[in-house]
Amino acid sequence: MTGDLLSGVTAPSARVRVQLPLPLPEPYDYRVPGDMALVPGSYVEVPLGPRRLFGVVWADGDGQGERVEERKLRPVIRAIDLPPMPDITRRFVEWVAAYTMSPVGAVLRMAVSVSAALEDPRALTAYMRSDAAVPDDLRLTPARKRILEILSDGPPRLAADIAAEAGCGTGVVRGLADAGVLTTVPMLALPRFPQPDPEANPKTLSGAQRLAADDLAAKVSAGGYSATLLDGVTGSGKTEVYFEAVAAALRAGKQALVLLPEIALSAQWLDRFAQRFGVRPAEWHSEMAPPLRRHTWRAVAKGEARVVVGARSALFLPYPDLGLIVVDEEHEAAFKQEDGVIYHARDMAVARAHLGRFPIVLASATPSLETLVNAENGRYSRIDLPSRHGGASMPDVTLIDMRRKEQAPPARAWLSPVLREALAQTMLAGEQGMLFLNRRGYAPLTLCRSCGHRLQCPNCTAWLVEHRLTKRLQCHHCGYQAKSPDACPECEAEGSFVACGPGVERVAEEVATLFPDARIAMMTSDTLSGPQALRTVIEQVKDGAVDLLIGTQVMAKGHHFPMLTLVGVVDADLGLAGGDPRASERTFQLLHQVAGRAGREERPGRVMLQTYMPENPVMQALASHDRDSFLAVEADQRRQLEMPPFGRMAALIVSGEDEGLVDAAAAALGRAAPRDREDLTILGPAPAPLAVLRGRYRRRLLIKGPKSVSLQPILYDWLARVEVPASIRVQVDIDPYSFL
DNA sequence: AGCACGCCGACT
DNA sequence: GTCGGCGTGCTC
């Protein structure tokens, strides 16, 4: 006999609002079983239709607003035994959602990025030497040998750790396991994240570095929000300086986060960190195996991981105690997330620091205009690091005017006689050269000589790029791949294809013909599958086993090659086409970084830029090493046009599979645009930069307004006035990367 | 985001 | 006559 039966009254049950990691407009209400204690931030498992999902308690259910009927409520299944999501993380998720105009749940999904993060921890797989002898037919490659050496004694270890120590990929470990030489055991005691020790191995800093480091460390120890631009050329020791800020955070008992563009998260960087702090930091990036992700996520949530280094998504981890963010290579476009929730990790990091009331450091050799302007108007403070070698390390930059006959390359070749001669001299002197071309594959366009047909991606407005190394055609936008055809798909003529323009593979071919004895290495994302491949090439270059390095952007990152004295840029104008006001800034940043590869240490370097527009301000600034006046001119132009960072901008991207519907929706949006306001400019609709992407037609509208106006409420009203068919998607891109 | 429900073409 | 395409709508 219970009270309920007697009275016929059911006590009103407690309810909670649970935010689910789905693009829903609001949290859903659930009933809390009597014996379950939940607080805001608790991770819970709840039913949704036929599914079970993890969510986060967003607030108690007694808030205002209409409540869903009591009888619709379903009970929370269970509470997850983890520290609740910190208040600041939840506020940050909400802030990002509001800023980017995305549903809160869509942002939350990034914060619980592995839904499996909340599942009970499973044992990881560890590898150890098996009893079996090494079979005779097993090819003992150097990597395999190192692994067997590493595992000859000591406890079983994770594939990722073994691979890191052996400098190879986890595939090699798995390969040895398949061959029976290694066996797997479940790793019951998961590896801890050892405390980085701020006193482990402090570096001796130069005077300027010391001042900068002390300044940052003081800000970190004092706490409170501040933003600092750390501006210094390659080789000025930025990393050592911000390491001292990280050390200060550790001493203050705070967690620290270092954001790097994905490709800069190299073994070299991790080694440097380990050298300074005794252990590696916790890593966070897209290529981690799910069990390791989960393990890392939980370690961050429990505060066990004290320093995290990661790509942009590391920003959304549930740090209980974050006290510092460093954004290295602050200017990099890779911080802009372009699909799903569209956001710029650098800007969101500043917001995160503001919410958490702690310092943020933005480091770069070529800061973005946005950041420079913020430093100039006093919103950020600024530390300039002079080069450690004075001006002596500045390479000599020559512009090769490709319009001049005597400097033009021969037919179907891409290297000017001047550059060829310089390469020959460099190698003769026993030094190394580098050729940079930011274009993967053999040629950017392939066409049929007999009918003029151009090989195009079936899903995108983009040419298919021939990759001769793999004998395949690739679309660089959607991942479409096909075997290189023998005959033209249009006129069926055989062997009629002509390659138009150069890609790195084609430049490599030219160089191989010019210098048949040279030892040539390629560095592109195609030839470097994974960080260990990169490491191998870097070692080869350092050991002097390579005379000439040819590659794309992956090569531009801060690797230090003492014998590299010549950098040739095959097509310096490449990034300038298209007329986007931001193109100059980007091209300058990229080429400056590439130029920085030449001649560090005692050997002077030189840089040769092949260009058809030597009078262009970008080329002039590179040749005269005058970054600041170039950027001042850029800033003036932007100011006059009221372009970011002097005004605000947002893009609406309308996409769908039916071109007519997309056009109609884009036109309807155009008609409903807020044209009555003098201070707003609406542009478009126009075809988006890639008019068709992954089989979806795309149109774009831009809205531009003064800095003082917040665009989000305007966009909200605008979008509410237009009804769009369900098959059409309208994405909002606040602060779009491209202004066209 | 899933997953079900619901209306129009090629098959055992 | 059914199996199955994915368009639209709902999930507390």
Side-chain angles (χ1 to χ4, degrees):
Chain A
M1 267 220 280
T2 69
D4 278 349
L5 281 174
L6 280 178
S7 63
V9 174
T10 309
S13 59
R15 63 162 76 196
V16 277
R17 310 218 81 195
V18 175
Q19 186 68 61
L20 296 164
L22 302 178
L24 300 168
E26 56 175 9
Y28 278 5
D29 287 359
Y30 287 87
R31 185 153 46 76
V32 186
D35 57 346
M36 196 182 283
L38 295 177
V39 297
S42 293
Y43 299 100
V44 289
E45 189 175 7
V46 294
L48 182 73
R51 298 183 287 164
R52 298 163 140 232
L53 282 174
F54 294 108
V56 178
V57 174
W58 217 246
D60 55 40
D62 304 325
Q64 71 296 19
E66 77 259 38
R67 299 153 131 242
V68 72
E69 296 168 66
E70 193 76 24
R71 46 181 288 275
K72 280 187 82 174
L73 292 191
R74 296 170 72 187
V76 173
I77 296 169
R78 67 188 175 106
I80 314 293
D81 183 25
L82 269 176
M85 177 176 277
D87 190 52
I88 288 178
T89 306
R90 278 180 289 129
R91 277 160 53 206
F92 179 53
V93 166
E94 284 191 328
W95 189 90
V96 173
Y99 188 84
T100 60
M101 301 187 70
S102 316
V104 173
V107 180
L108 181 68
R109 209 154 67 89
M110 304 194 289
V112 293
S113 40
V114 243
S115 61
L118 301 174
E119 280 164 18
D120 291 321
R122 271 206 335 252
L124 298 176
T125 303
Y127 292 80
M128 60 183 287
R129 184 75 178 79
S130 73
D131 300 330
V134 179
D136 294 336
D137 58 340
L138 186 78
R139 266 188 34 243
L140 268 187
T141 60
R144 287 177 165 178
K145 231 183 247 168
R146 283 198 296 277
I147 289 172
L148 291 178
E149 231 161 77
I150 290 163
L151 288 178
S152 57
D153 63 327
R157 275 181 290 168
L158 296 176
D161 291 340
I162 300 166
E165 195 170 330
C168 63
T170 52
V172 187
V173 180
R174 222 161 290 130
L176 284 173
D178 291 344
V181 185
L182 304 181
T183 53
T184 61
V185 286
M187 189 140 166
L188 297 170
L190 292 170
R192 307 273 303 178
F193 286 88
Q195 280 269 353
D197 177 4
E199 324 304 338
N201 186 17
K203 282 264 157 51
T204 316
L205 300 180
S206 72
Q209 285 179 310
R210 185 79 266 160
L211 284 173
D214 289 347
D215 181 355
L216 293 180
K219 285 187 167 117
V220 174
S221 336
Y225 168 76
S226 65
T228 307
L229 164 61
L230 182 58
D231 181 356
V233 297
T234 324
S236 60
K238 285 190 295 293
T239 313
E240 282 77 20
V241 170
Y242 71 64
F243 274 176
E244 294 316 303
V246 171
L250 289 169
R251 286 188 197 109
K254 298 285 188 183
Q255 289 172 297
L257 164 65
V258 180
L259 286 181
L260 293 172
E262 192 109 8
I263 53 175
L265 212 177
S266 61
Q268 270 189 346
W269 194 96
L270 295 169
D271 290 345
R272 272 169 96 174
F273 185 94
Q275 233 170 48
R276 171 62 185 82
F277 293 100
V279 295
R280 286 188 162 212
E283 288 171 58
W284 188 264
H285 52 84
S286 60
E287 268 143 47
M288 293 161 70
L292 188 56
R293 275 176 95 79
R294 173 169 58 222
H295 185 53
T296 306
W297 192 94
R298 296 174 80 99
V300 172
K302 291 179 187 168
E304 288 163 12
R306 302 309 295 174
V307 179
V308 177
V309 55
R312 56 191 178 217
S313 58
L315 194 53
F316 293 93
L317 293 170
Y319 306 93
D321 214 11
L322 195 57
L324 169 71
I325 299 178
V326 177
V327 183
D328 199 359
E329 311 283 358
E330 163 284 320
H331 62 279
E332 275 287 327
F335 283 122
K336 183 83 198 263
Q337 164 101 37
E338 294 283 3
D339 41 39
V341 179
I342 302 176
Y343 68 93
H344 198 302
R346 180 239 294 142
D347 300 344
M348 298 305 107
V350 172
R352 178 67 180 81
H354 200 94
L355 273 176
R357 301 205 182 101
F358 58 74
I360 179 166
V361 178
L362 307 177
S364 175
T366 51
S368 63
L369 211 49
E370 276 80 354
T371 298
L372 276 175
V373 167
N374 278 325
E376 253 150 52
N377 65 25
R379 288 164 61 95
Y380 298 172
S381 51
R382 172 173 186 164
I383 300 174
D384 290 310
L385 278 182
S387 160
R388 267 185 287 192
H389 319 288
S393 71
M394 286 297 212
D396 175 40
V397 179
T398 315
L399 302 179
I400 302 177
D401 185 349
M402 301 289 273
R403 296 169 308 189
R404 289 173 53 185
K405 233 181 182 166
E406 72 276 15
Q407 304 206 332
R412 288 213 215 103
W414 316 100
L415 303 179
S416 152
V418 195
L419 182 52
R420 293 174 171 207
E421 176 58 27
L423 285 168
Q425 281 172 9
T426 302
M427 288 189 279
L428 202 65
E431 298 170 351
Q432 292 166 320
M434 171 187 271
L435 288 172
F436 174 79
L437 176 61
N438 207 13
R439 225 187 228 151
R440 293 158 51 207
Y442 186 81
L445 167 66
T446 307
L447 55 79
C448 169
R449 195 186 301 121
S450 50
C451 74
H453 176 74
R454 298 162 171 213
L455 293 174
Q456 195 183 351
C457 174
N459 311 318
C460 306
T461 326
W463 307 130
L464 286 174
V465 177
E466 184 187 2
H467 286 244
R468 292 217 174 158
L469 290 175
T470 52
K471 297 196 172 61
R472 295 183 79 78
L473 296 171
Q474 271 188 42
C475 171
H476 289 172
H477 299 281
C478 73
Y480 174 87
Q481 283 203 19
K483 203 172 143 281
S484 292
D486 299 322
C488 172
E490 197 66 24
C491 70
E492 291 171 12
E494 280 192 38
S496 66
F497 289 120
V498 214
C500 298
V504 272
E505 291 182 9
R506 197 168 192 182
V507 172
E509 186 183 83
E510 180 176 340
V511 168
T513 319
L514 282 173
F515 308 109
D517 300 328
R519 293 162 301 171
I520 297 167
M522 283 249 268
M523 272 178 102
T524 75
S525 52
D526 303 292
T527 59
L528 304 171
S529 51
Q532 60 291 337
L534 179 67
R535 199 178 201 167
T536 312
V537 180
I538 290 171
E539 290 303 320
Q540 284 175 348
V541 179
K542 279 191 176 165
D543 295 349
V546 168
D547 302 312
L548 202 47
L549 199 53
I550 299 170
T552 56
Q553 207 166 334
V554 288
M555 192 175 68
K557 292 288 159 241
H559 313 296
H560 187 164
F561 303 126
M563 293 300 288
L564 185 82
T565 57
L566 174 68
V567 169
V569 176
V570 178
D571 184 355
D573 311 333
L574 189 56
L576 291 172
D580 188 330
R582 187 163 271 180
S584 303
E585 183 192 350
R586 266 164 22 198
T587 302
F588 179 83
Q589 286 161 350
L590 181 60
L591 295 184
H592 178 92
Q593 192 156 43
V594 174
R597 301 303 107 219
R600 315 268 302 264
E601 302 184 354
E602 72 284 356
R603 281 166 202 275
R606 54 181 172 157
V607 178
M608 301 183 120
L609 305 176
Q610 299 196 141
T611 174
Y612 286 88
M613 39 179 104
E615 70 293 335
N616 185 292
V618 175
M619 303 307 151
Q620 289 298 321
L622 288 162
S624 59
H625 300 290
D626 192 357
R627 181 192 90 183
D628 292 339
S629 33
F630 164 71
L631 287 172
V633 172
E634 276 295 301
D636 273 348
Q637 286 176 3
R638 295 250 193 111
R639 190 180 286 117
Q640 272 163 31
L641 296 168
E642 289 187 303
M643 289 280 192
F646 303 100
R648 292 184 190 275
M649 200 178 242
L652 293 180
I653 300 143
V654 186
S655 68
E657 287 176 25
D658 182 320
E659 187 169 16
L661 283 180
V662 173
D663 272 329
L669 276 165
R671 282 192 301 275
R675 307 232 181 227
D676 52 323
R677 285 185 57 160
E678 289 263 313
D679 55 343
L680 301 178
T681 311
I682 313 286
L683 303 159
L690 276 156
V692 189
L693 180 63
R694 297 170 223 273
R696 295 178 71 90
Y697 292 85
R698 289 148 51 89
R699 299 289 181 270
R700 204 159 104 123
L701 296 107
L702 279 175
I703 178 167
K704 196 173 68 134
K707 188 108 206 177
S708 55
V709 170
S710 182
L711 292 179
Q712 285 87 345
I714 296 165
L715 286 162
Y716 189 86
D717 288 344
W718 181 3
L719 292 170
R721 285 198 294 273
V722 182
E723 220 163 302
V724 169
S727 65
I728 298 292
R729 197 165 71 201
V730 180
Q731 285 174 290
V732 181
D733 181 356
I734 303 287
D735 310 325
Y737 186 61
S738 144
F739 299 157
L740 272 186

